[in-house]
Amino acid sequence: MFLGIVYGILFWIATLVLVLGVANKVWLYSRIPAPLKIPTMPAPRTLTGVLWRMARELLLFQSLFRADKLLWAISMVFHYALLLVVIRHLRYVQEPIWSLVIFLQPFGKYAGFALVLSLSGLLARRFLIDRVRYISAPSDFLMLVLLIFIACSGLMMRYVNPTDIVMVKAFFVGLKTFNWQPLPSDITLLLHLFAVAFLMLIFPISKLMHAPGVFFSPTRNQVDNSRERRHIASWAAELEKDDRKK
């Protein structure tokens, strides 16, 4: 029961940091002015075109495909494998479980292997390509190693050292109502959960924040209508009002 309380508190703190941290960063992103009309060409000239362009960037990584085909392939595998794994894990916090989560269970199970392989490719790229290694910070390596550890420890619990998933689900369902439940004392599970909580804690200050940040990229979210409409940042508009008053 002691482990359940310790890890329960840890995950509540991690969840609070994750939610508030991401919300704060998104608010800061929304407040940063975009003084220039700088969409990357060829750029859409209508709002519908911008939405379609953003959809292609989010779902297909269009610009990355044009820049680096190998990195695009690895990134596609990584992101969609991670998505399947996350959806699969929703069963541990849901009661009843959504039909979509049940349907994707077998796909999410094997996506773990794709996740490890793609992460290994991203890590190898930072070692083997000179220009990438030159611009890589220690945090870049830490993030990849942490994700690989989380994925590998999850696969170990599935194929090497199985844990009591009924107790694990009872623990996480109980967290939603502060109904503390015991947690299995398997070392693989404890290390896996600790790594996940650590990832949640550092997510708002890591480069993984590019996920919500892409929505605020002026090179992607702007309409190419500089000839039809003058682009004025909000702070510049205020200055113009003050000048007119004078």
Side-chain angles (χ1 to χ4, degrees):
M1 192 63 184
F2 174 74
L3 282 175
I5 295 175
V6 171
Y7 271 78
I9 294 173
L10 175 62
F11 267 90
W12 266 112
I13 293 175
T15 302
L16 191 64
V17 170
L18 176 66
V19 173
L20 295 181
V22 171
N24 179 64
K25 279 295 183 69
V26 169
W27 182 80
L28 291 175
Y29 291 159
S30 67
R31 300 284 296 174
I32 296 175
L36 300 174
K37 180 70 76 170
I38 54 172
T40 302
M41 300 299 172
R45 306 190 66 176
T46 63
L47 179 59
T48 303
V50 169
L51 295 176
W52 176 235
R53 180 186 200 177
M54 290 296 296
R56 296 196 306 271
E57 285 292 335
L58 293 170
L59 301 176
L60 301 175
F61 305 164
Q62 176 180 268
S63 59
L64 182 59
F65 177 79
R66 293 170 176 169
D68 190 329
K69 300 292 191 298
L70 178 59
L71 179 57
W72 172 84
I74 297 174
S75 297
M76 285 288 288
V77 173
F78 163 64
H79 285 89
Y80 279 100
L82 179 61
L83 177 62
L84 286 172
V85 168
V86 170
I87 292 176
R88 183 174 185 270
H89 279 67
L90 289 178
R91 65 176 178 157
Y92 295 113
V93 295
Q94 291 181 334
E95 191 60 49
I97 305 174
W98 295 344
S99 300
L100 177 63
V101 176
I102 296 174
F103 173 75
L104 292 177
Q105 286 301 302
F107 303 99
K109 179 171 64 176
Y110 296 110
F113 293 101
L115 185 60
V116 173
L117 290 175
S118 59
L119 284 167
S120 299
L122 292 173
L123 183 61
R125 176 176 171 270
R126 292 201 174 269
F127 282 108
L128 300 177
I129 301 178
D130 291 340
R131 67 179 185 278
V132 178
R133 184 172 65 250
Y134 180 77
I135 63 172
S136 295
S139 60
D140 298 323
F141 295 100
L142 170 64
M143 199 61 58
L144 289 171
V145 171
L146 178 61
L147 288 169
I148 290 173
F149 178 82
I150 291 173
C152 288
S153 58
L155 289 173
M156 284 185 63
M157 285 188 291
R158 176 69 186 179
Y159 297 101
V160 179
N161 184 29
T163 190
D164 189 339
I165 60 173
V166 175
M167 286 184 65
V168 173
K169 177 164 184 174
F171 168 76
F172 280 103
V173 171
L175 284 184
K176 295 190 295 184
T177 57
F178 294 98
N179 181 21
W180 309 109
Q181 297 295 321
L183 190 65
S185 58
D186 301 340
I187 186 63
T188 308
L189 172 67
L190 297 180
L191 290 174
H192 179 76
L193 293 180
F194 183 82
V196 171
F198 182 65
L199 177 65
M200 294 168 66
L201 288 169
I202 65 175
F203 187 95
I205 58 173
S206 72
K207 290 183 178 179
L208 296 178
M209 277 299 297
H210 69 266
V214 68
F215 292 98
F216 300 93
S217 172
T219 60
R220 297 287 181 268
N221 64 16
Q222 289 186 346
V223 181
D224 180 23
N225 60 355
S226 56
R227 292 183 179 276
E228 294 82 6
R229 182 177 178 182
R230 185 184 178 197
H231 177 73
I232 305 177
S234 57
W235 57 268
E238 293 296 327
L239 290 176
E240 283 196 353
K241 288 182 180 179
D242 294 339
D243 290 339
R244 292 194 189 104
K245 290 178 181 179
K246 293 178 182 179

